[in-house]
Amino acid sequence: MEEKNIPEEKKASGTEKETVKPEEKGSAAKETAQPAPEDTVRAKKAYRTGKIINDIGMGLFSVFILLGAVRFFLNLELYIGGSIVTSYLYFLLLIPCIMMITGLVMTNKAAKQLGKTEKGGKPMLIAIIIAAVLILGFSVAEIFHPSYHVYEIEKCKASDGREFMLAKSERVSITGEVHSEIPSYYDLDVYDVNGIFARKLCTKDVHKGSYNIEKTEKGYRLNISYLGIEEGIPFSV
């Protein structure tokens, strides 16, 4: 059989389809998928901004946790306007949580625009959102069902004239009942107040009775008398 020749006119006119390699197709698709230079600059700027916001939020969160630990170990309470308002401090943790959520959303979105994958971005975002919801729920619960419920606060001068703050309180569990009025048995807490900070010096579960603070050689002593029982609880400032 004779081999058919392709006319030169067809070759010149380009009617014959040229074969394109798969590698060339992939590279062409990638080139078309790349964002414009202006979009790339904006995405990079948003990524850096998100990183900064996330880092600041994480730093604030760490500082708040550290301050909370210091407050716990030093038995400090926030005392403003004649009331102990420490439970409201839990809401401050929402500030760094919101900052971290905002920063992670910005970095994840910018990374997607740049065609990159932010390692651990989505799991971290979900974890922070869950933490923020738990903190909000716990903070609201502390307002309406405080674990440290203070019924009455009064001033008490020691025998040497130094003034202390006495709080009649009760520790309440999550499922426990918060009484509307002070119960027969309660805790008597002694505080030393400096500005807006009140440091707990001692506490004693008592019944309704009498009490006073006496200056001693080693410090001070809380003297209580109830139901025919007299006790002295030493403490130092």
Side-chain angles (χ1 to χ4, degrees), residues 45-64 95-107 118-119 121 124 128:
K45 185 177 180 181
Y47 184 85
R48 288 195 297 268
T49 304
K51 275 287 187 184
I52 293 172
I53 295 174
N54 182 43
D55 291 342
I56 293 174
M58 191 171 295
L60 281 178
F61 190 85
S62 301
V63 170
F64 287 163
I95 297 175
C97 284
I98 292 173
M99 293 181 68
M100 285 188 284
I101 291 171
T102 303
L104 287 171
V105 169
M106 291 178 66
T107 54
E118 186 69 7
K119 188 177 180 181
M124 180 63 71
I128 296 299

Side-chain angles (χ1 to χ4, degrees), residues 214-231:
E214 179 184 359
K215 172 64 177 171
T216 64
E217 294 181 357
K218 296 183 179 181
Y220 291 89
R221 182 171 61 235
L222 172 65
N223 299 317
I224 57 177
S225 176
Y226 62 97
L227 299 177
I229 302 173
E230 294 186 359
E231 291 186 61

